[in-house]
Amino acid sequence: MTARAPDLSDPATDPLDVARAAAAVVAERTGAERHDVALVLGSGWAAGADLLGETVAELPAPEVPGFPPPAVEGHVGTIRSIAVGDSGARALVLGSRTHLYEGKGVRAVAHGVRTAAAAGCRFVVLTNGCGSLRPEWTPGTAVLIRDHLNLTATSPVEGATFVDLTDLYSARLRGLAHGVDGDLPEGVYVQFRGPHYETPAEVAMARVLGGDLVGMSTTLEAIAARQAGLEVLGISLVTNLAAGVGGQPLSHQEVIDAGRQAAPRIGALLADVVREAVR
């Protein structure tokens, strides 16, 4: 049975109440009183969940309060609870990500990480597929996010609540990732609103501002995760060269194809990093 969707856009609705209700449903349906780590899987990253360990429970995301069906091809509309190897840790894998461009509001975008925090998670891994501003970072390259530029003109933080983002992307978790793969580059991720791709002029602007990668997700989730007290690791998969960098037209099929080709390699990377982090 599908849960009656709370109206997160209603100012009278407390988004943290919805997150707590979602976490309660997750606990009941998965049999896990708490989870340790959450993963938000963007384009190309789904294989990582399969390598983490045994899937103990899986439920359709729309059956959990506040989670709509996925709106993007290549995303998985399920929430999974996975036993991470023999560590005793449980991973909450959110295959259903809401993007700002879907028009559901920034609360809906932040709902996944807020649910993860309410479910007891200590840290979250945010992944995405993105365009590269660096010609040497060709499709298939995994890049750790060390900082971001939020060009969405919005924030998940409401009211006079001031959240320090100085060290938003955890140096500790990036260090663990470098221990798994010492060749991983790091870069600055730039989020635009989408759903249209960036123009060459916008890409040039992002480069001038210090950006290395462009995409349509992640920064708002990262801010909400920090506000909720979660440690954040961000990893991007380059799926294409950004507009004006590669000289080719952009398409979502290109993103899907690049993710599919890179899936075995980046899935193993993601699983290894998470296993290190929960030790």
Side-chain angles (χ1 to χ4, degrees):
M1 183 176 68
T2 301
R4 182 168 176 257
D7 185 4
L8 284 168
S9 66
D10 183 349
T13 299
D14 185 339
L16 298 184
D17 284 345
V18 182
R20 285 187 283 267
V25 170
V26 167
E28 178 184 4
R29 296 282 299 275
T30 65
E33 183 177 341
R34 63 180 291 121
H35 286 77
D36 301 280
V37 54
L39 293 86
V40 180
L41 300 182
S43 299
W45 289 97
D50 298 329
L51 299 175
L52 273 176
E54 178 189 358
T55 296
V56 178
E58 182 172 3
L59 57 154
E63 295 183 5
V64 180
F67 285 90
V72 179
E73 183 181 356
H75 289 200
V76 181
T78 61
I79 295 174
R80 297 166 66 181
S81 178
I82 295 178
V84 183
D86 57 2
S87 66
R90 290 283 279 268
L92 186 65
V93 180
L94 305 173
S96 183
R97 166 183 258 157
T98 299
H99 296 77
L100 186 61
Y101 58 70
E102 295 174 38
K104 297 180 175 70
V106 70
R107 286 179 167 186
V109 174
H111 181 60
V113 296
R114 286 173 172 156
T115 297
C121 293
R122 296 176 287 112
F123 66 96
V124 61
V125 182
L126 302 174
T127 67
N128 61 60
C130 69
S132 172
L133 279 61
R134 292 174 171 253
E136 67 270 25
W137 291 353
T138 54
T141 302
V143 182
L144 295 175
I145 301 175
R146 62 176 172 82
D147 207 342
H148 77 226
L149 292 167
N150 173 16
L151 300 185
T152 67
T154 190
S155 170
V157 181
E158 301 179 19
T161 305
F162 305 103
V163 181
D164 179 26
L165 303 180
T166 303
D167 57 349
L168 173 56
Y169 296 94
S170 168
R172 183 187 76 86
L173 293 177
R174 283 186 282 127
L176 291 178
H178 284 304
V180 172
D181 183 348
D183 294 326
L184 280 173
E186 296 191 0
V188 175
Y189 178 87
V190 184
Q191 181 179 351
F192 288 84
R193 291 181 69 97
H196 54 275
Y197 291 107
E198 305 77 23
T199 68
E202 289 169 335
V203 168
M205 175 189 71
R207 186 187 297 113
V208 169
L209 293 175
D212 301 296
L213 307 162
V214 291
M216 305 174 192
S217 68
T218 304
T219 73
L220 299 174
E221 293 161 312
I223 295 168
R226 164 51 62 89
Q227 182 185 20
L230 296 175
E231 195 174 8
V232 178
L233 177 65
I235 314 179
S236 294
L237 169 66
V238 174
T239 55
N240 56 272
L241 295 178
V245 178
Q248 300 295 324
L250 304 181
S251 72
H252 187 59
Q253 188 60 48
E254 178 183 30
V255 173
I256 294 173
D257 292 344
R260 185 178 297 119
Q261 292 170 13
R265 177 173 49 80
I266 64 172
L269 166 68
L270 183 62
D272 287 345
V273 170
V274 171
R275 281 193 288 264
E276 284 294 317
V278 300
R279 280 186 177 180

